[in-house]
Amino acid sequence: MASLYYPQPILHTIAGAFHASSGTAGLIVTLSQIGYAVGLGLLVPAGDIVSRRRLVPIVLLLTAMAMVASAVAPSIAVLIALALIVGLGTVMAQVLVPLAASLATDESRGRVVGTVMSGLLLGILLARTVSGLVAGVTSWRTVYVVGAVLLVLLSAVLARVLPPEEVRPSIGYRSLLSSTVRLFLSEPLLRRRAVFGGLGFAAFSVFWTTSAFLLAGAPYHYNDTVIGLFGLVGAGGALCANFAGRLADRNLTRQTTAVFAGLVLVSFVPMWLGRHNLAWLIAGIFLLDVGVQGMQVTNQSLIYRLAPDSRSRVNASYMVCYFAGGAIGSALAAALYESDGWAGVCLLGAALGAAALVLSGLDARFGVAPGRDGSDAGLQRQPSAGLQQQPDGRPQPQAAGGTAPRPEGASD
């Protein structure tokens, strides 16, 4: 996952090397996230029909080749185009998350997803630290070389240690993709949680896409190495992912969604104050990462209950919206920073957090039918009728004389 985020703390350095504007350099992040969203739609569903032990290492090796090409890119236009390919390949992280969910029991799934997501999120955040340190000692091109080497090593390790899987269902690729779309259209709970995820990651990207420009300018004037260290602040927030998973196992998802969305909103207040005060900026980063990561684990712990045999497709549907939100947030933030500075960035981030908070209230009132404690306890952990598939990917007919059970949260 780190390969997607190495460029963020060194965008100002890359912009300077190619004599490009901050908005143009920001397209490196935007295109990588668009590539990631496309990969989520085209590659991640294959985890339901192809052995992940074969799929993941091969795609990682191809991504390593794109990273090497990025290291020798002759222009920023080429680097932006290669970012799209890197984004496509790093979706293998999202093939591993549903695999972990499949290996877990119902009672521990939230905790297991939280544990795996902690590692994924630490990769996202610590990538900035590694990138800044490497670029500070050598150059920004070396960052891509280091990333490529790590991907090759990871590919070799995963080819050896990923567990063997049962025979995968025989579904044509076109039917697989169409069933992914039908899944998204048939599950209101999945769509609602995708909106929460998209808003949260858009806010996350708003800050991290523009933070390097803030920290490299007045009054901070930090170099790449110091800018990269700010990833350690966010890494502290990643530790809440496991805690959020445990709360989800206790069916407190409504409460945690509202709390985490509120943290996203509030975080941009100290960030705005942090334009001239480092302590406020650090506090805002921590609150933002806790809010976004907590909401992400809550969302995934719910959606993985919908269809045990289609978790890669469930995850693909959700994460397409998640990274589409991130790409939109990155593009808007880069443009706003050029036109309105840090104040515009913070207003945009706060607006996204406010939207998530308002929608969490509407979801609590009109969404999943609550249990007696106001939680999502009524959500059953079994496949819904809309997700049962025949081998060719078409919906499975319901038995005569009855209807298949549906999760309580899967219907409006």
Side-chain angles (χ1 to χ4, degrees):
M1 199 60 197
S3 301
L4 204 62
Y5 293 93
Y6 290 134
Q8 283 193 350
I10 56 174
L11 282 178
H12 66 290
T13 300
I14 295 174
F18 290 114
H19 306 290
S21 67
S22 60
T24 300
L27 290 176
I28 297 172
V29 177
T30 300
L31 265 291
S32 65
Q33 290 176 338
I34 291 174
Y36 197 90
V38 172
L40 287 165
L42 298 181
L43 295 179
V44 172
D48 283 337
I49 61 173
V50 178
S51 170
R52 284 167 275 209
R53 191 175 187 176
R54 294 173 54 194
L55 176 67
V56 174
I58 291 173
V59 175
L60 289 182
L61 285 176
L62 295 174
T63 309
M65 294 171 62
M67 292 285 285
V68 172
S70 298
V72 296
S75 68
I76 196 166
V78 173
L79 191 59
I80 291 170
L82 287 168
L84 185 70
I85 300 174
V86 172
L88 277 168
T90 49
V91 295
M92 290 300 100
Q94 297 301 334
V95 173
L96 297 177
V97 177
L99 172 60
S102 297
L103 296 173
T105 63
D106 286 346
E107 292 72 22
S108 65
R109 184 161 294 118
R111 176 175 56 81
V112 170
V113 170
T115 299
V116 177
M117 286 299 297
S118 292
L120 186 150
L121 294 167
L122 285 171
I124 291 174
L125 295 164
L126 294 180
R128 300 176 174 90
T129 302
V130 172
S131 176
L133 290 172
V134 172
V137 174
T138 57
S139 74
W140 67 267
R141 294 184 185 273
T142 308
V143 173
Y144 285 96
V145 174
V146 172
V149 172
L150 292 175
L151 284 176
V152 171
L153 293 174
L154 181 61
S155 176
V157 170
L158 291 179
R160 183 177 181 84
V161 305
L162 285 180
E165 301 177 75
E166 299 176 355
V167 177
R168 316 302 284 166
S170 177
I171 303 175
Y173 183 67
R174 181 180 297 181
S175 296
L176 180 77
L177 296 183
S178 63
S179 68
T180 303
V181 175
R182 288 198 304 272
L183 185 156
F184 183 78
L185 296 176
S186 67
E187 294 297 337
L189 175 66
L190 177 57
R191 295 197 300 272
R192 292 197 295 270
R193 287 290 155 177
V195 171
F196 286 129
L199 288 170
F201 196 57
F204 184 88
S205 298
V206 161
F207 170 75
W208 286 108
T209 299
T210 55
S211 61
F213 298 110
L214 172 72
L215 295 171
Y220 296 111
H221 300 292
Y222 291 148
N223 59 28
D224 290 342
T225 301
V226 176
I227 291 172
L229 292 175
F230 279 80
L232 296 175
V233 179
L239 299 178
C240 85
N242 195 283
F243 176 68
R246 292 177 184 274
L247 292 177
D249 285 337
R250 294 171 56 190
N251 294 315
L252 298 175
T253 53
R254 283 188 172 178
Q255 296 91 325
T256 57
T257 299
V259 170
F260 290 135
L263 288 178
V264 173
L265 166 61
V266 170
S267 69
F268 283 93
V269 175
M271 279 188 198
W272 180 74
L273 297 173
R275 69 197 188 282
H276 297 302
N277 186 296
L278 183 60
W280 280 116
L281 185 64
I282 290 174
I285 295 171
F286 182 81
L287 291 175
L288 174 66
D289 286 348
V290 169
V292 172
Q293 294 155 17
M295 191 155 51
Q296 169 76 335
V297 172
T298 300
N299 292 339
Q300 290 187 307
S301 68
L302 281 172
I303 64 175
Y304 287 151
R305 302 176 188 178
L306 290 173
D309 295 329
S310 305
R311 287 198 174 105
S312 288
R313 279 168 280 181
V314 168
N315 198 46
S317 301
Y318 171 82
M319 293 302 298
V320 164
C321 298
Y322 187 78
F323 271 86
I328 293 170
S330 293
L332 291 177
L336 275 176
Y337 189 83
E338 277 198 85
S339 61
D340 299 294
W342 191 242
V345 169
C346 291
L347 283 174
L348 174 61
L352 292 166
L357 182 60
V358 170
L359 289 176
S360 72
L362 294 175
D363 187 55
R365 183 174 180 83
F366 302 110
V368 179
R372 291 182 180 179
D373 61 350
S375 72
D376 291 322
L379 185 62
Q380 300 175 17
R381 300 177 176 181
Q382 50 188 309
S384 69
L387 302 186
Q388 295 175 357
Q389 303 290 328
Q390 297 185 53
D392 64 355
R394 291 180 290 112
Q396 177 69 42
Q398 296 177 4
T403 58
R406 292 178 59 83
E408 190 169 339
S411 173
D412 285 327

